[in-house]
Amino acid sequence: MSAGPGRPRAAASPVTRLVPVCAGLLALCALASVLWSGLAQRPVVLAFGALVAVGELARRSGTGARDPAPLGAAGALAYTLLADVAGRPAHHGVAQTVTVVAAAALLGSVPHVARGDGAVPEHLARRVLTVAFAAVCFRPLSNQGVFDDWSGPAYALLLLAVLALTTLCDAVLAAAPAHARTGWPFGPLLREELRGMVGITSAVCATGAVMALAVAVAGLWALPVFCVPLLLTQLSYRRYAAVRATYRQTIASLARATEIAGYTPAGHARRVAGLGVAVGRDLGLSGAELTVLEYAALMHDIGQLSLVDPVPAGATAALPLSEQRRIALLGGAVVRQTGVDAAVAVVVERQADPCREQPVAARIVRVVNAYEEKARDAGPGGGLAALEELRLAAAGDYAPEVVEALARVLARGSLTGPPAG
């Protein structure tokens, strides 16, 4: 997760450094163990290593996916959960599992590292640690023959339990560094990670388990057959991500109409959206709620296009409440005509309502917009003065819990005013 507009930029914390350090030490220890004892079943190692490496080569960065290399993840899980190969027992242990997955993932990531993809180390660290967790849960007991008599529903439930615990481990590994890096509440971050894993991560886990079961019966030839559905799923997700990116760019272009027409200062909508999303995260909003909030914040001033006389500097927070509501209703009407989600129009329409009657997203837009307008031209210390002004405002003007969330976001980002446009 990279810092962006409205996301506080913080120095790397011990927790963010701990994950890759632990993954590196674990991989080195596993490699030393394998070098000492030797590789078991080398054809199996080559087949699964090639699958993981190809999956990493095919990964896409910047799509917003929870796992940008689903084929590599599925191959790693399949090797971890492999009990037999064409009826013959699989003998690899935890150390060999970690070594093969780490080496193959590192090999497949070389082109991405060469292109300067900064997300690769964190991605590899999570891959190594989640595979190690799954291997510790499954491999020792499997190699000892504990599961030899398990079949049917019992074995399926065992795999589901291992996959569920592994998914939870991966979510924690994603949420903990994000919490340490940004200061956002851990609980909502973890819930958001788990919600996001319902889609592609479920497909990855299912494909990994099916691959392991298929190889146990049909041998290594089952691997290419079961790669196809996941590759198609990955392709579909990329197209979906491209459509979403285009949709957001369209909304951002519409939001810039007020700036181009001279109704609002340059960058105002983008700053309100960025800071508003950060406040929403602090308050624990879900991913879908944050999307609605971001779009509404981008378009919150679009009602000013209906005005004959522009508001000076686009500062609607200083207008009488009745005029603020009129502009908000005009903006909501414009948003509805653009075909944007109706929930976005509702937030735009209600941003000037009494705070007790507003949805949370509208409360956030109102507070952040007022802060940005008040702090924009106040010079050094203007941000602190604007925040104090919001705190001292009448109870019905600005939601106190949102103002305090804004204060926390600004404190974490070491900001005293809105970022420059």
Side-chain angles (χ1 to χ4, degrees):
M1 188 181 302
S2 60
R7 287 180 178 177
R9 298 176 182 269
S13 69
V15 175
T16 59
R17 291 191 293 264
L18 184 62
V19 171
V21 167
C22 288
L25 291 175
L26 179 61
L28 289 175
C29 292
L31 176 61
S33 176
V34 170
L35 291 175
W36 177 264
S37 60
L39 282 173
Q41 299 173 307
R42 295 191 178 188
V44 179
V45 169
L46 290 174
F48 278 95
L51 178 61
V52 173
V54 169
E56 293 297 335
L57 280 171
R59 73 186 292 258
R60 281 287 187 93
S61 300
T63 61
R66 299 288 168 168
D67 195 327
L71 182 58
L77 284 176
Y79 188 59
T80 304
L81 301 176
L82 189 63
D84 299 286
V85 181
R88 298 188 303 274
H91 300 301
H92 56 281
V94 174
Q96 180 167 314
T97 303
V98 173
T99 299
V100 170
V101 170
L106 185 60
L107 179 63
S109 298
V110 169
H112 304 289
V113 174
R115 288 198 298 266
D117 187 350
V120 170
E122 183 178 350
H123 167 75
L124 290 178
R126 283 177 56 188
R127 175 78 78 237
V128 169
L129 292 176
T130 52
V131 165
F133 177 85
V136 168
C137 292
F138 183 82
R139 295 255 40 103
L141 296 177
S142 177
N143 291 344
Q144 293 172 14
V146 173
F147 306 133
D148 288 351
D149 296 330
W150 292 42
S151 61
Y155 194 72
L157 287 174
L158 169 68
L159 295 183
L160 286 175
V162 173
L163 290 172
L165 291 173
T166 303
T167 300
L168 179 60
C169 173
D170 190 38
V172 170
L173 289 173
H179 167 70
R181 185 167 54 242
T182 65
W184 292 327
F186 177 76
L189 284 173
L190 180 60
R191 287 196 299 272
E192 187 58 29
E193 288 293 334
L194 291 173
R195 287 193 195 102
M197 290 178 174
V198 172
I200 189 67
T201 304
S202 300
V204 167
C205 291
T207 304
V210 171
M211 277 184 182
L213 295 173
V215 171
V217 176
L220 297 175
W221 289 107
L223 289 181
V225 175
F226 286 92
C227 287
V228 174
L230 193 57
L231 285 172
L232 293 176
T233 301
Q234 185 176 3
L235 179 61
S236 299
Y237 182 83
R238 287 178 182 173
R239 290 179 176 175
Y240 169 72
V243 170
R244 284 196 61 182
T246 303
Y247 183 66
R248 187 190 182 282
Q249 289 169 3
T250 301
I251 291 176
S253 298
L254 289 171
R256 289 194 62 222
T258 57
E259 301 173 10
I260 295 172
Y263 282 83
T264 57
H268 170 70
R270 180 178 57 81
R271 292 192 294 269
V272 172
L275 194 53
V277 169
V279 172
R281 285 188 181 277
D282 186 89
L283 291 172
L285 269 61
S286 68
E289 292 169 330
L290 288 173
T291 299
V292 170
L293 170 60
E294 180 185 16
Y295 292 169
L298 283 170
M299 304 183 77
H300 75 281
D301 271 332
I302 204 166
Q304 293 195 44
L305 293 174
S306 302
L307 300 179
V308 176
D309 298 318
V311 178
T316 54
L319 295 176
L321 193 56
S322 59
E323 185 65 9
Q324 292 184 38
R325 289 177 180 170
R326 186 175 77 87
I327 294 173
L329 290 174
L330 290 171
V334 173
V335 172
R336 291 182 190 279
Q337 291 175 5
T338 63
V340 177
D341 186 356
V344 176
V346 170
V347 175
V348 173
E349 289 170 343
R350 301 188 62 184
Q351 61 179 305
D353 290 357
C355 68
R356 293 186 181 87
E357 302 173 11
Q358 291 175 308
V360 175
R363 297 180 186 181
I364 294 172
V365 171
R366 179 173 175 79
V367 167
V368 174
N369 175 64
Y371 169 80
E372 207 280 330
E373 289 181 0
K374 294 175 184 297
R376 186 167 54 214
D377 301 318
L384 296 176
L387 193 60
E388 190 62 24
E389 187 176 344
L390 294 179
R391 283 173 167 155
L392 297 175
D397 287 348
Y398 305 107
E401 70 279 7
V402 177
V403 176
E404 294 309 312
L406 173 61
R408 291 193 296 271
V409 168
L410 295 173
R412 286 196 295 267
S414 301
L415 299 177
T416 55

